[in-house]
């Protein structure tokens, strides 16, 4: 594997970028001295699991709240007469 230093212009030589060059086998190897290059850490697994647990708790909570919602938001009709602002039948001239 060959590592190529790329000139970034007006940047000091110490800040030059290391670019991984593909090998003859087609794979790209990590630059030397950089451990675990391109691999996820165990912390990512913990974060994903916590997000999953939080999602399940939110779904459970929302289900409980939705069970409390009435089937209809229409005001109940009373037997004594129409509600405020409504007429009992067609208008009489």
């Amino acid at each position: 594997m060959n590592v190529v230093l790329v000139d970034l212009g007006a940047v000091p030589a110490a800040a030059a970028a290391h670019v991984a060059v593909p090998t003859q086998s087609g794979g790209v190897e990590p630059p030397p001295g950089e451990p675990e290059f391109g691999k996820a850490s165990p912390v990512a697994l913990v974060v994903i699991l916590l997000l999953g647990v939080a999602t399940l708790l939110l779904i459970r909570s929302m289900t409980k709240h939705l069970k409390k919602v009435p089937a209809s938001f229409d005001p109940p009709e009373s037997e004594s007469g129409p509600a405020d602002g409504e007429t009992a039948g067609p208008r009489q001239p």
Side-chain angles (χ1 to χ4, degrees):
M1 155 97 188
N2 298 329
V3 175
V4 179
L5 291 178
V6 178
D7 185 15
L8 299 176
V11 179
H18 290 276
V19 178
V21 178
T23 59
Q24 291 180 355
S25 64
V28 177
E29 296 179 12
E34 293 186 31
E36 301 296 322
F37 177 78
K39 295 183 180 180
S41 67
V43 175
L45 177 62
V46 172
V47 169
I48 291 171
L49 292 176
L50 288 176
L51 287 172
V53 169
T55 302
L56 291 176
L57 291 174
L58 286 171
I59 291 171
R60 185 175 143 203
S61 174
M62 187 57 65
T63 303
K64 287 181 181 179
H65 284 286
L66 285 174
K67 288 180 181 179
K68 296 178 185 177
V69 175
S72 173
F73 288 104
D74 294 333
E77 294 183 21
S78 62
E79 294 180 18
S80 62
D84 293 337
E86 294 181 5
T87 58
R91 287 188 169 187
Q92 300 293 329

